[in-house]
Amino acid sequence: MTQTAHIIGAGLSGLSAAVRLANAGFEIHVHEATQNAGGRCLSYFDAATNLTIDNGNHLMLSGNTHALAYARSIGSESGLVGPERAQFPFADVETGERWTLDLGDSRFPSWLFDADRRVPETGVIDYLKMLPLAWASANALVGDTVACDGALYRRLVGPLLLAALNVDPPSGSAGLAGAIVRETLLAGGASCRPLIARDGLSSVLIDPALAMLRGKGASIRLMHELRRIETSADRVTGLDFGDGTTALGEDDVVVLAVPARSASTILPGLKTPTKFRAIVNAHFRYVPPQGTPPVTGVIGGLIEWLFAFPDRLSVTISDADRLVNMPREELARAIWRDICKVAKLDDSVAEGPLPPWQIVRERRATFEATPEQNALRPGPVTQWKNLMLAGDWTDTGLPATIEGSIRSGDRAADLILKQ
């Protein structure tokens, strides 16, 4: 007898659960409240730039095992591209200095003993001083665990943790920071090769999943928002979408993979994070100069990461609450000046008319990755045995990342399969 799974939410966490269950023989019904699947990994046509852009710029690593396994399962792994070695170019917009962190391609950290491959002005002992993060408690602060100063922190550890935690690193959860350190730097260069979706996140992570699910007979309904659930004893018995209630059979299961605020509305009393931080992404229609690295870390400026796509230059700014109300033109101009410095564009380009641009401000991009908010993340299991939770805001052991989102969907599906 074929079991039925209702997946509420068509972001990465919901789609990863749907794919896993579909491959296990479940009949899948995906319900998405908005008009597009993908959530924060949505690609869309932008009229201002006349380009297809991503809602947010996301960097993945070769050690993101769940994300890569998900891409393989939907046949899109080749769409994630990057250098053959774990190399990270950096540029300091204040001093003009440039360097490349070269972690190599093995698990053994031979790069630590080569000054040309390390961060400039750092020695082996500086890296060893960061090891307490790897075993830190989730209740500890980064700032109480390691020293948040010096060349290594300013040029590598700080930018890495800011991007991962989306909070000022000293106030972030040392436990979540430690998970990032264990799965990246401590795992060696083989796990740190940067990967980006060169042709857009939807084309690699979303559209192939939808096609695969439809090929297996799944139904995918957009603009189909779950309003409430009906329960009896320890089971969910019905789903109310506002256009009638869908009754659930004895063996039917539900994965609730919606944002935290929506989940707490559907399930009153559910403990979820209550504080969130913004991320700003900017896209400029400008063909990158030949030789521009796909991803460059930026120090000492407004922008933090510069992504070079074939037809545009894009940036990400984390912990960006300070920028959400800044006038758009003023913000675009400030970002463009930094881009021109990093991409080595002429001063005349930097001070001339802006190329076609778009600013995307996500006010509630991720939960605030502090010990206080991390403690509010629920696990996947609920009081109803046929209802599981998924989402990067659930307790994945990671900050709100693509890997954490997909891991949460995989975990919800695996728990269902074990029942």
Side-chain angles (χ1 to χ4, degrees), residues 245-276:
T245 298
T246 299
L248 300 188
E250 183 67 24
D251 295 322
D252 291 357
V253 297
V254 181
V255 177
L256 186 64
V258 298
R261 178 182 287 181
S262 299
S264 62
T265 299
I266 295 169
L267 299 176
L270 177 67
K271 181 177 69 173
T272 69
T274 57
K275 296 180 180 179
F276 299 82

Side-chain angles (χ1 to χ4, degrees), residues 2-4 32 34 46 76 96 114 135 138 170 177 252 268 385 395 402:
T2 301
Q3 285 185 267
T4 297
E32 167 58 40
T34 70
D46 172 61
S76 65
D114 186 342
W135 298 282
D252 291 357
K385 64 182 182 181
D395 187 9
I402 283 180

Side-chain angles (χ1 to χ4, degrees), residues 17 28 31 36 44 63 68 100 121 125 151 165 167 170 177 183 195 203 297 303-304 315 326 330 337 350 363 376:
I28 303 296
H31 311 270
N36 295 294
Y44 63 95
L68 292 182
T100 296
E121 301 178 18
I125 192 67
L165 301 176
V167 297
E183 296 192 14
L195 300 169
S203 68
I303 68 177
E304 292 152 9
V315 305
M326 185 175 178
E330 180 183 343
R337 290 194 186 101
R363 294 175 180 267
L376 296 176

